[in-house]
Amino acid sequence: MTRARNLLYLAAALGLALLPGPSRTQETPPPEPVRSGLYVGAPSCGTSNCHGSVRPRRTFDVLQNEYFTWLKKDPHASRAFQVLFDPRSKTIAKNLQLETPPAETRLCLDCHAFAVPESLQVNRIDVEDGISCEACHGPASGWVRTHAAEDWGHRQSVEAGMTDLRDLSVRSRLCLSCHQGDGSKAVDHDLIAAGHPELVFELDNYTGSMPPHWTPLRDTHGARAWAVGQAASFRQGLDLLAHRARNSRWPEFSEMSCDACHHSLAEERWKKIRYDDRPGLPRWSPARWAVLRHLVAEVDPEAKSAMDADVRELARKVARIGTPPAEVAATAERMSRNLAGVLPALERSPWDDAQVRRLLLAISGDADFLAGADRQSAEQAYLALHSLTGDLLDRNPRLARTGLPSTLERLNRTLENPYEWKPDRFTGQLAQLRKQIQGLP
């Protein structure tokens, strides 16, 4: 982006014109009210005295280098769009028999770019910019002119159209809309079979892996973000399942455990699969429940027992292809409503050192469940252990000398190649990690 272009965008966003001003005798008319809900474009945020500084500053309560960090380091910027030109993307498009290239196809642009209708653009928004500022922070027309004023606060910006990313439930839903999918966009079995990677997401880990253009707070990162993110992921998965079951294309096999159909017969892995129903039926993947059930048990044990029964019921209905889709949808919708009742307890919980340690022990001691589940469930367990261990080390940096990070890295390596997934190797590393956690001072 050139400096001139940035200035033009900023001027448009602020309702200014880069022309000679009126004479002193000429009256300047008051600016017209700005309609909220419109998008002004990322460069409007990118001048050096706003969010485009090369280095962080300490003048205000923001770093002022947010735009530069996003543009130069964040994969949500140009990489999200540029990946559509990779050989893998071309192969996916060929396999799906798309009529247009991926970079021109709505199916791909919905998550790989910020493609909003022209009628909502104050300034031109280029899809080449990838996932730009307003994709996460919301349409800025209602607050871009005022949000830096001394008498203007965060709540006022939210009321004027800003997305409240400090609210963990809001942030979870926003991230999951692409990283898990919703009723309007999702990676289905067709896309996966064509070559698209499976979607994996966990709010705290994935937030932590980004180059930060924010100041992390205890209430918005760490164990609390992990806990709320787990619940949001399960609930959004239920909502997506219900949407799919009410859709004409049911069953949707991306809801199933991959191992149920794709396990290696040569390795006789079928002998190690735990069947909750008749062998030979596709299994609903328990990945989104694998870790959340420990969280629910921590804050509401009675709700956990009821939800366990619901999960078993849903798994049976999904596995039996002949189940009326309306029954599947109704069960998923009921479970989503019930989970909503547990969310306040998850958000209120202090997630202190004692709770984090209990959860680490519970998840690392869950080898029997994970050995009979699937790789996706094991992956969620690893992400949970990684997030909780990071939270524990933030509170007690001296614990880094216990070897926990090294064991976690070895655990991660067992998950790297899905074609070489061996549950026994994972549970063996899990047992070693549990011993270390039990021995922590």
Side-chain angles (χ1 to χ4, degrees):
M1 304 295 177
T2 65
R3 180 175 175 80
R5 184 185 178 200
N6 286 349
L7 288 172
L8 284 169
Y9 272 112
L10 181 64
L14 300 179
L16 304 174
L18 298 180
L19 298 171
S23 65
R24 295 188 181 184
T25 59
Q26 190 177 10
E27 228 177 86
T28 305
E32 293 183 9
V34 178
R35 175 187 158 197
S36 61
L38 302 179
Y39 297 88
V40 301
S44 302
C45 311
T47 57
S48 59
N49 62 333
C50 290
H51 295 284
S53 173
V54 175
R55 297 180 181 83
R57 295 176 176 173
R58 303 295 177 207
T59 310
F60 304 105
D61 60 353
V62 295
L63 302 174
Q64 290 191 263
N65 68 338
E66 292 83 4
Y67 176 84
F68 184 82
T69 300
W70 166 80
L71 185 65
K72 297 296 184 182
K73 301 178 182 179
D74 196 317
H76 288 97
S78 58
R79 179 60 184 159
F81 178 75
Q82 289 302 322
V83 74
L84 298 180
F85 296 92
D86 286 0
R88 183 172 190 166
S89 296
K90 294 177 182 177
T91 299
I92 294 170
K94 181 180 178 182
N95 289 341
L96 291 175
Q97 300 179 21
L98 298 180
E99 296 180 358
T100 55
E104 300 173 21
T105 302
R106 172 61 60 177
L107 175 69
C108 307
L109 293 176
D110 276 345
C111 280
H112 283 271
F114 187 44
V116 298
E118 288 187 11
S119 60
L120 298 179
Q121 299 180 26
V122 174
N123 308 299
R124 175 180 169 79
I125 295 177
D126 295 319
V127 293
E128 292 88 347
D129 288 342
I131 309 302
S132 54
C133 309
E134 291 166 291
C136 296
H137 292 282
S141 65
W143 47 270
V144 68
R145 286 204 262 184
T146 51
H147 74 292
E150 289 185 8
D151 59 347
W152 188 272
H154 175 71
R155 180 49 50 191
Q156 289 166 290
S157 292
V158 171
E159 292 170 355
M162 178 185 282
T163 303
D164 188 4
L165 297 180
R166 298 179 188 178
D167 185 317
L168 289 171
S169 294
V170 171
R171 175 147 54 96
S172 297
R173 286 194 300 271
L174 175 71
C175 297
L176 289 167
S177 66
C178 275
H179 287 278
Q180 182 170 312
D182 55 27
S184 64
K185 52 190 176 184
V187 173
D188 59 13
H189 191 259
D190 286 357
L191 267 169
I192 295 172
H196 194 289
E198 288 181 72
L199 296 183
V200 180
F201 184 74
E202 188 278 297
L203 182 64
D204 187 50
N205 271 288
Y206 277 63
T207 300
S209 68
M210 292 295 100
H213 60 264
W214 56 82
T215 303
L217 304 171
R218 172 63 65 183
D219 286 344
T220 59
H221 294 70
R224 186 183 304 281
W226 168 75
V228 175
Q230 284 291 313
S233 177
F234 187 55
R235 192 178 185 197
Q236 185 142 326
L238 291 171
D239 293 341
L240 180 58
L241 172 59
H243 171 81
R244 285 169 163 169
R246 295 195 185 281
N247 188 282
S248 59
R249 290 192 59 194
W250 179 259
E252 169 49 53
F253 291 112
S254 62
E255 295 286 348
M256 312 298 185
S257 173
C258 299
D259 272 1
C261 297
H262 296 286
H263 63 262
S264 171
L265 294 174
E267 294 179 2
E268 298 187 330
R269 192 184 297 173
W270 54 272
K271 290 182 178 178
K272 302 173 184 178
I273 295 176
R274 183 186 63 198
Y275 292 99
D276 295 322
D277 207 326
R278 192 177 73 234
L281 295 178
R283 293 186 305 150
W284 179 61
S285 176
R288 299 187 191 112
W289 180 239
V291 173
L292 178 62
R293 61 201 187 94
H294 297 295
L295 274 165
V296 178
E298 177 71 27
V299 300
D300 193 341
E302 290 185 9
K304 195 265 183 183
S305 298
M307 292 181 70
D308 267 333
D310 285 341
V311 167
R312 287 192 294 271
E313 179 186 350
L314 182 64
R316 284 194 297 270
K317 288 182 176 179
V318 171
R320 293 180 176 271
I321 304 300
T323 304
E327 284 189 27
V328 175
T331 302
E333 288 164 349
R334 173 172 54 80
M335 291 171 63
S336 178
R337 290 192 298 270
N338 292 343
L339 181 59
V342 180
L343 285 173
L346 290 172
E347 294 183 349
R348 285 195 309 266
S349 186
W351 301 116
D352 55 21
D353 192 87
Q355 282 181 303
V356 169
R357 287 173 182 253
R358 283 199 299 272
L359 285 166
L360 281 169
L361 285 170
I363 298 167
S364 63
D366 209 13
D368 288 345
F369 176 90
L370 293 171
D374 56 13
R375 180 182 172 278
Q376 293 95 322
S377 299
E379 195 162 29
Q380 286 299 314
Y382 162 74
L383 289 171
L385 292 166
H386 185 276
S387 184
L388 290 169
T389 300
D391 190 271
L392 193 66
L393 296 181
D394 284 344
R395 302 169 195 261
N396 309 281
R398 61 192 175 86
L399 295 180
R401 297 194 294 270
T402 61
L404 278 176
S406 299
T407 306
L408 273 172
E409 179 55 33
R410 288 194 293 273
L411 190 68
N412 183 36
R413 284 200 291 271
T414 68
L415 294 163
E416 285 179 343
N417 189 341
Y419 302 105
E420 296 180 0
W421 162 241
K422 298 185 184 301
D424 291 347
R425 185 183 301 169
F426 180 84
T427 54
Q429 293 289 349
L430 198 64
Q432 182 179 347
L433 181 69
R434 179 174 171 77
K435 287 182 181 178
Q436 288 180 298
I437 295 169
Q438 289 173 323
L440 290 177

